[in-house]
Structure formats: C-alpha cells, structure tokens
Amino acid sequence: MTAPSARAPRTPWIAPGWWFVAPALTLIVVFFVGPVLAAIVLSFTDFDLYALADPRAAHWVGLRNYSRVLQEPLFWQALRNTLYFALVGGPLTVAASLGAALLVNARALRWKGTARAIFFAPFVTTLVAVAIVWRYLYHPRYGLLNWMLGHVGVQPIDWLGDPRWAMPAIILMATWKNFGYNMLIFIAGLQNIPRELHEAAALDGATPFQRFRHVTIPMLAPTMFFVVIVTMIGYLQLFTEPYVMTQGGPLRATTSLVLYMYEEGFRWWRLGVAAAIAFLLFLVIVLFTLLQRRISPRGAA
Amino acid sequence: MTRARAREFRTGTVALYAALVVFGALSLLPLLWMLSASFMAQGEATTFPPALLPRNPTLVHYRDLFGRLALGRYAMNSALVATVTTIGALAINASAGYAFAKLRFRGRDATFRAMAAGLAIPVQVAMLPLFLLIKSLGLVNNYGGVIIPGLSSIFGIFLVRQYALAIPDDLLDAARIDGASEFRVFRSIVLPTIQPVLATLALWTFLATWNDFMWPLIVLSDDAKYTLPVALAGLVGEHAQDVELMMAGAVITVLPVLILFLMLQRYYVEGVTEGSVK
C-alpha cells in the first residue's frame, strides 16, 4: 500500500471500490454474463457432437432451431407440464406456507421455535435424496402413502406410473419440500401487522375468522402475490424431481422444459437446439417477471 | 373472561395443537421413515402392510455403502467442493457487497442495477455455453469446473450489501483519518462488524453447494469424482430394488446438512427474511 496522506482524500487512478468488486464482477461477467450472451449465438447455430470436437463444424442456421423446436410436439408437452407444475404447485405451496405461518404465529402456541424448525427441515434437505425417499413413499403396493389412503377407503394409486398422477405426485412432493421457505417470509409479514388492528377488530366483535379474513389477508396480500410469483418462477425451472423420480415419464407426462433442454444438450449434444429451448424458457420466465413487476407493491422487489 | 369465551379459547387451543401435530407429522414423516427404513433388513421395507420400524435394526446397509460402494469417497468430494466454494464465496461476495454499500466509485449504482437485472435470468440459459467454456479451460470432470462458477453470487452480494449499509460512515472515516488503507479498514473494521451476515452467507453457500445436483451432474463425468447427490442418483439406477440401502444413502446425504441447519438455524432464517425484503 502507498503511504497515505492523512487529511486529503486520496485520488488514486482506480477508485478502491473497483478493487473490492473486481473479483466478483470478473467472475460474474466471465461465468454468467458471457455465457448468457454466447447462448444467444449458440441458439442460432447447429452446434452438435461434431462441433464439440471441432467448433468449426458449427454453422449459422438462423432461426431454424427455434422453428424446429416450436414444431416439436415434445416441446409443447414439456411447456404444458412445466406450466402445470408452476401454476398448480406454486399456489399450493404458498397456501401451505401461509397455513404453517399462521400456526407458528398463533399467540396461544408454545414451542414456536421447535414448530418452525420442524416445518423448515424439509427445505434444507438434499433434493436428490428426498426425491428418492418419495419414490418409495409413492410405491403403489408397499408405499406408505397408499397404505394411509387405504385406511380412508382410497383405492391404490399408481402415483409415478400413471401419466395422470405423476405430475400431481411431483407437485405434492415439491410442496412438502418447499413450503417452509415461504413460511418464514409470511411469519415476518404477520409480525409486521400492527397488533392494534387485531385488537380494534376484536373490540368491534369480530370473530377470529373474520379477523383473519378482513385484517390478516388484506395486510398480507402484497407479500402473498409477490411470493406466489417468485415461487412459480422457481418452479418453472423444474428438473431434479422428474430426473430422479420419473425420468420424465410415464409417457413424457413429467418432462419439464429444463429436463428437455438437458436431454437435448447434454445427452444428445445438440447444444444449438438446447440453447433455443433455454431461451424459450427464459421468455416464459420474463412474462412471469413482468407480471410480478406489475402487481408487486412499492415496497417489495 | 366469560365461561363461553373460555370454552371457545380452549377448543381453539385444542384445534391449534391438533393442526400442529398433523402438519408436523406430515413434515417429518418422510424423513423419519427414511431413517427407520435405513436400519431395516433387506426386503423389510417392501412388505404389506408397510413396516414402520425395523424389527431387528441393522447397520448392514451403512457398512455396505461405506465399504463396497465407497460412499465415503463421495461424501469427501461433496465436503471438499462445498467447503472450498464457501470459503471463496465469503471472500469474494463480502468484499463486493461491502463496496457496493459503502465505497463511492463511478459507475457503482449502474453496475449494481445491472446485476439486479441479471437476477431475473435463469441459470439454465448460461449452462450450455458455460459448459463449453469449462471444457475449453480443461475443467470438465474437475472440481474447479464445479466450484469456480459458484464462487460469485449476486444473491450473496445483495445479502452482504444490505447488512453493510448499516455500518456508520463515521466509523470508517475515523480509521481512514488514522491512516488505515482501504484494505485495512475492510479487514479490521468491516469484517468484524458484518460477522453475522457472513455466517448467514457461509451457511447458505455451503448448503446450496452440498445439495446442488444439475451442474455437478453436467461437469463431473468420472464416477470417482461424483458428489453425493450425483452418486446417489446414479446408485438408484442400479439399486432401485434395494430400498433399505437407498434409504441409508439418503440419510448419509441429508444428515450433515440437517445437523448444520439445526445448529445454525438463526443465521439461516435471517438469510431468508433479509433476502426477501431486499
């Protein structure tokens, strides 16, 4: 370090701030921004296994990858599956989060910390490991779930083997795994509701349910919309659950866009096609993000 | 309190605890069953009605996994990758987060806004060219290829910046007037002050890296280099019928992160609430 002059602020050639952010920015530019831009180029080429050995084998093909993908029935099925997962799974997860948050936040409840830790535990677990656990819970003959449902008279369901049930099964598992995260956000939100509001409503003779309906829900609504959209955006990137639990089946009923992209890119090494799929996914995510910007209140986001 | 009110209160409390028990049981059941089945004899978990507890608890599957199937090696790989990523991410994101909060330099706010916009781009978009980049650097099937792209995280920088905004400028200026260099100010004043958020960042990075699946799956091709989740996903392909063995494998993968979370819960929770408020 150079000798500092005590009073006057030094005016070095490069502001010290840049030195502090340089490592992070360099990494972000090289390993994220650069690749994103390169992905645009990649999606306009026929980059494949041969190009992997020698990049000169790749040619510019314009929009061919996009038009080919858009004519592929599997793409549309993957898009439908992904939207199914996000549009059903997102709100379901958030509803479970809200329920858990209300429970943990209830004034009469003791052991709040323990309850919160229990609800949050599934979120920190390793997705691959618990997806395998759920594979066995869903076993049509020996699985715990069908056995429990059998007690209330439900006939055994072939959860992961029936194309109609496979996606609901993955949604259920994802809800279990993820609700704890938003629960924490809701607990913080609930604690921000001024107690006087509840007390005033109680004085006016409101029942607990009415207070929930007319005080809690309106106060929490901004957070709720925000959380639903953020959860759905995360869910649009579905990959590990179908990879481990169903390999995208049965009959492609659980093939998500990212799984489709993975197969095209890293199994068949059609990187150009895969990049086009990645951008189409990005487009969907952008639509959801715009929606979020639209409805999110001033404070959030 | 009138008697009617008291009764309403009591039934309310009962309902509350009933809901809590149901919700709690649903959360824990899959994990408890995983643990229980891992101690069952082979074939015991595939009976009807399902066995809930092992008749004669056995450690044979754990012995199998660590012996014959060398799961210990994958655990070491995972620990190595997660530890190195965490240490690197701490240094890189802490300094950047602090600078974005407290140091003035031209282009700071524009850069920060651009980064925030980058958060909206899904990582999968970058993955294909990133793989080609990693390949051209000779880092395919190398831990470097798994670690380096995870070192700098926009989320991590946000987290630290948010916390560092609260450091009083006077504190920093006092040290500068005493002749401390910017690096010295960072090391001896900023770092001690932001310690709690560093713990949060470390925990998040470690758990996220330990749990990560897709990127290590793409980068690591040699069996011996797999991380635990990748190895486990491969194992279930060959041993799908060995439920008890697979459950033991799941326990080995999940247990370290669960213990870490239970010990350092407070820091984890702060990460969620800080991150969501931004």
Side-chain angles (χ1 to χ4, degrees):
Chain A
M1 289 283 137
T2 50
S5 62
R7 291 139 297 133
R10 286 156 295 162
T11 47
W13 287 10
I14 300 172
W18 279 114
W19 290 112
F20 279 86
V21 298
L25 282 185
T26 310
L27 285 168
I28 291 174
V29 168
V30 173
F31 293 101
F32 187 64
V33 180
V36 167
L37 298 176
I40 303 177
V41 178
L42 195 61
S43 75
F44 293 121
T45 69
D46 63 354
F47 203 103
D48 58 6
L49 194 57
Y50 301 106
L52 209 54
D54 178 8
R56 278 169 302 180
H59 308 96
W60 187 264
V61 294
L63 288 168
R64 203 177 72 193
N65 290 329
Y66 288 93
S67 68
R68 193 174 283 177
V69 166
L70 289 173
Q71 284 168 24
E72 184 69 57
L74 185 54
F75 168 77
W76 293 103
Q77 186 169 8
L79 178 64
R80 266 199 310 277
N81 294 339
T82 306
L83 289 176
Y84 182 3
F85 180 72
L87 293 176
V88 177
L92 197 66
T93 305
V94 173
S97 310
L98 183 60
L102 288 169
L103 266 178
V104 172
N105 204 52
R107 228 188 299 172
L109 186 73
R110 291 152 102 191
W111 314 305
K112 279 182 205 296
T114 314
R116 195 180 64 180
I118 288 174
F119 292 157
F120 196 67
F123 181 76
V124 295
T125 57
T126 310
L127 183 51
V128 170
V130 293
I132 292 173
V133 174
W134 277 77
R135 253 174 77 150
Y136 297 116
L137 294 179
Y138 279 139
H139 193 286
R141 280 181 61 196
Y142 310 119
L144 225 50
L145 192 65
N146 272 351
W147 176 70
M148 292 196 300
L149 289 174
H151 286 293
V152 290
V154 178
Q155 290 298 309
I157 296 169
D158 189 2
W159 289 100
L160 298 174
D162 183 333
R164 283 169 306 163
W165 283 107
M167 189 53 92
I170 287 183
I171 289 174
L172 197 64
M173 187 254 154
T175 303
W176 169 82
K177 171 93 168 62
N178 297 315
F179 80 93
Y181 181 81
N182 294 325
M183 173 192 74
L184 292 184
I185 296 172
F186 281 135
I187 290 176
L190 284 169
Q191 283 163 357
N192 284 338
I193 299 177
R195 181 165 285 181
E196 297 83 54
L197 279 181
H198 277 291
E199 283 166 0
L203 275 179
D204 288 343
T207 64
F209 179 74
Q210 283 172 326
R211 284 199 316 247
F212 173 71
R213 170 78 186 72
H214 297 288
V215 178
T216 311
I217 290 290
M219 290 297 288
L220 223 50
T223 319
M224 216 146 63
F225 282 121
F226 176 73
V227 161
V228 169
I229 302 282
V230 169
T231 306
M232 289 200 285
I233 290 175
Y235 276 11
L236 289 171
Q237 298 167 42
L238 174 69
F239 171 74
T240 302
E241 294 92 331
Y243 183 97
V244 173
M245 294 168 80
T246 58
Q247 294 82 49
L251 295 177
R252 290 288 184 181
T254 56
T255 301
S256 64
L257 282 176
V258 176
L259 185 59
Y260 181 37
M261 179 204 94
Y262 173 85
E263 286 179 353
E264 285 293 325
F266 295 109
R267 185 165 300 160
W268 311 120
W269 300 104
R270 290 192 281 256
L271 276 83
V273 175
I277 300 170
F279 268 100
L280 291 169
L281 168 72
F282 183 33
L283 199 68
V284 178
I285 289 180
V286 167
L287 291 178
F288 276 75
T289 310
L290 290 178
L291 188 69
Q292 175 215 320
R293 295 269 152 85
R294 203 82 191 274
I295 60 172
S296 77
R298 283 140 288 131
Chain B
M1 206 185 273
T2 67
R3 204 180 302 165
R5 277 294 294 278
R7 195 179 317 127
E8 182 189 293
F9 181 75
R10 214 170 326 121
T11 48
T13 311
V14 170
L16 178 71
Y17 278 92
L20 190 74
V21 168
V22 171
F23 235 111
L26 288 176
S27 298
L28 286 185
L29 201 69
L31 298 176
L32 292 177
W33 184 78
M34 163 185 80
L35 191 65
S36 169
S38 75
F39 296 120
M40 289 179 191
Q42 188 162 17
E44 204 180 330
T46 46
T47 51
F48 191 87
L52 294 179
L53 291 171
R55 231 170 303 135
N56 299 304
T58 168
L59 287 172
V60 67
H61 308 299
Y62 290 96
R63 225 171 289 141
D64 241 16
L65 284 170
F66 281 112
R68 192 165 57 87
L69 297 165
L71 211 70
R73 158 180 242 154
Y74 304 128
M76 289 303 290
N77 296 347
S78 271
L80 174 77
V81 167
T83 307
V84 174
T85 306
T86 304
I87 293 170
L90 270 181
I92 289 166
N93 297 321
S95 54
Y98 156 68
F100 277 119
K102 283 288 153 186
L103 296 177
R104 281 169 208 293
F105 51 97
R106 204 191 297 183
R108 180 187 77 171
D109 296 334
T111 312
F112 189 71
R113 272 197 304 274
M115 259 181 18
L119 269 180
I121 304 173
V123 288
Q124 290 87 352
V125 172
M127 261 182 195
L128 299 146
L130 185 58
F131 174 79
L132 296 177
L133 176 65
I134 293 293
K135 183 170 173 287
S136 69
L137 294 174
L139 292 177
V140 166
N141 200 25
N142 183 305
Y143 296 131
V146 182
I147 293 169
I148 295 168
L151 285 179
S152 176
S153 102
I154 299 179
F155 168 76
I157 295 172
F158 264 80
L159 196 68
V160 175
R161 173 180 177 268
Q162 197 64 26
Y163 197 91
L165 282 173
I167 304 174
D169 282 320
D170 296 346
L171 192 67
L172 305 174
D173 285 337
R176 286 181 188 127
I177 289 169
D178 286 347
S181 67
E182 284 299 334
F183 178 72
R184 184 77 194 279
V185 171
F186 178 66
R187 207 190 50 192
S188 38
I189 297 177
V190 176
L191 281 186
T193 321
I194 63 171
Q195 233 165 28
V197 80
L198 295 183
T200 303
L201 179 62
L203 190 60
W204 271 84
T205 311
F206 189 90
L207 296 194
T209 314
W210 181 279
N211 290 339
D212 194 17
F213 176 59
M214 191 171 177
W215 185 242
L217 173 75
I218 291 168
V219 173
L220 303 173
S221 52
D222 177 8
D223 194 277
K225 294 231 167 104
Y226 283 175
T227 56
L228 265 178
V230 180
L232 208 61
L235 209 60
V236 78
E238 299 162 42
H239 294 269
Q241 304 311 314
D242 303 329
V243 185
E244 303 81 8
L245 180 84
M246 287 313 304
M247 290 305 97
V251 169
I252 293 167
T253 309
V254 164
L255 212 55
V257 285
L258 264 185
I259 290 173
L260 214 59
F261 160 69
L262 288 176
M263 288 189 325
L264 301 169
Q265 236 197 94
R266 190 162 63 88
Y267 296 109
Y268 203 98
V269 169
E270 267 158 31
V272 177
T273 30
E274 282 280 329
S276 72
V277 183
K278 270 191 260 184

